[in-house]
Amino acid sequence: MKYTVITGASSGIGYETALAFAAKGKNLIIVARRLDKLEELKSKVKEISSDLDVVIVTSDLSVTDQAYTLYNDLKEYQIETWINNAGLGEGSFVAEQNLEKVESMLRVNIESLTILTTLYVRDYADVEGTQLINVSSALGYVIAVGSVAYSASKYYVSSFTEGLAKELELKGAKLKAKVLAPAITETEFVKKSIDAEDFDYKANMPKYHTAKQMAGFMVDLYESNEVVGIVDQNYDFNLRGQIYPVISEF
């Protein structure tokens, strides 16, 4: 039995991606901190298909050691797709940012993502039909003043994953690495980034996508042969090859 792992599955893009992959008949391993939200998601998946297996795993990826624990706990499963969707934001000017919050963001967005990516690639690079999708951001390709640290963390995700995709290609690996780069999406993300109790997207954002739309784009990327799925400035979704220039040292 094969599984799709989705981190950050308790809400937003991760939650909707789980439902989208369930609709494609995929067994799921859903990962997040909030057990109640994962149990709610599992029940929704079972409404789509009672035959699907849904494994719930609680993990706090702002604690780097938990990334290792998460991966090791999943060794018994055959994982055909790993989606690193978990991410944190920080919406303030550098001089004013909460460093404790920034540290957590860097551990989730960079450290845990790198650990989970590396461990998965080591085990599955030569397994037919496998994919790794790392969720970056449109701000991983342009710098956002007022969210510079967040933007820089997503530059890392984009360049790291694009570079990995090239390494896998040069080695003739069967595993495909891809980057999803959403723009503003209607999730809990902005609210948490600016420490607000609520955030009205319709009132504050001229354009945005719903989490369900982004999950649809995730499926489009999954089903494509391209490396990058990115939302452009017009809020159109584009599938394309690598964006960053790559120098091969092979």
Side-chain angles (χ1 to χ4, degrees):
M1 190 178 287
K2 297 178 181 178
Y3 290 83
T4 295
V5 174
I6 303 169
T7 69
S10 60
S11 65
I13 296 171
Y15 190 97
E16 292 293 343
T17 294
L19 296 177
F21 273 69
K24 293 182 64 62
K26 303 295 186 182
N27 298 302
L28 300 171
I29 299 172
I30 50 176
V31 182
R33 290 174 297 174
R34 295 179 290 180
L35 179 60
D36 58 331
K37 292 292 186 179
L38 293 176
E39 288 174 338
E40 174 193 309
L41 174 56
K42 180 174 180 175
S43 67
K44 292 217 169 196
V45 169
K46 289 294 187 178
E47 290 174 12
I48 294 171
S49 174
S50 59
D51 294 334
L52 293 178
D53 191 24
V54 182
V55 178
I56 289 175
V57 182
T58 56
S59 182
D60 182 356
L61 294 176
S62 68
V63 181
T64 310
D65 284 348
Q66 290 201 26
Y68 288 100
T69 302
L70 168 62
Y71 191 82
N72 289 330
D73 286 349
L74 300 183
K75 282 277 196 178
E76 65 185 278
Y77 298 97
Q78 187 177 353
I79 300 167
E80 64 176 350
T81 307
W82 189 293
I83 300 174
N84 282 315
N85 167 73
L88 296 176
E90 217 289 332
S92 58
F93 284 87
V94 171
E96 300 159 6
Q97 64 190 1
N98 178 332
L99 279 176
E100 187 177 328
K101 192 174 176 184
V102 171
E103 286 180 10
S104 292
M105 178 185 73
L106 296 178
R107 286 194 292 269
V108 175
N109 294 8
I110 295 178
E111 292 181 19
S112 288
L113 177 138
T114 302
I115 291 163
L116 294 170
T117 294
T118 303
L119 294 173
Y120 184 65
V121 169
R122 285 179 182 173
D123 286 345
Y124 286 89
D126 294 318
V127 178
E128 191 69 51
T130 53
Q131 286 196 40
L132 167 83
I133 301 177
N134 285 335
V135 177
S136 179
S137 169
L139 300 186
Y141 294 93
V142 294
I143 295 172
V145 173
S147 300
V148 169
Y150 170 73
S151 188
S153 76
K154 291 302 190 177
Y155 264 72
Y156 176 86
V157 174
S158 296
S159 59
F160 173 68
T161 311
E162 287 194 24
L164 169 60
K166 180 56 70 173
E167 285 187 356
L168 292 169
E169 179 190 326
L170 290 171
K171 289 184 174 181
K174 294 174 181 174
L175 171 66
K176 304 298 182 187
K178 300 176 179 180
V179 185
L180 182 73
I184 293 169
T185 306
E186 188 180 20
T187 67
E188 296 177 352
F189 183 83
V190 170
K191 182 174 70 174
K192 291 180 179 178
S193 298
I194 61 175
D195 293 322
E197 287 190 14
D198 205 359
F199 185 83
D200 187 336
Y201 281 82
K202 286 184 179 177
N204 291 283
M205 296 294 175
K207 289 186 179 182
Y208 61 89
H209 288 114
T210 64
K212 189 171 184 178
Q213 285 174 311
M214 280 311 311
F217 297 153
M218 178 86 78
V219 171
D220 291 344
L221 177 61
Y222 171 79
E223 293 179 338
S224 81
N225 292 318
E226 299 294 354
V227 174
V228 179
I230 187 169
V231 176
D232 65 22
Q233 291 181 338
N234 295 319
Y235 275 70
D236 294 323
F237 182 68
N238 301 282
L239 293 167
R240 53 163 299 170
Q242 292 170 260
I243 294 171
Y244 286 115
V246 178
I247 299 171
S248 173
E249 297 182 355
F250 282 86

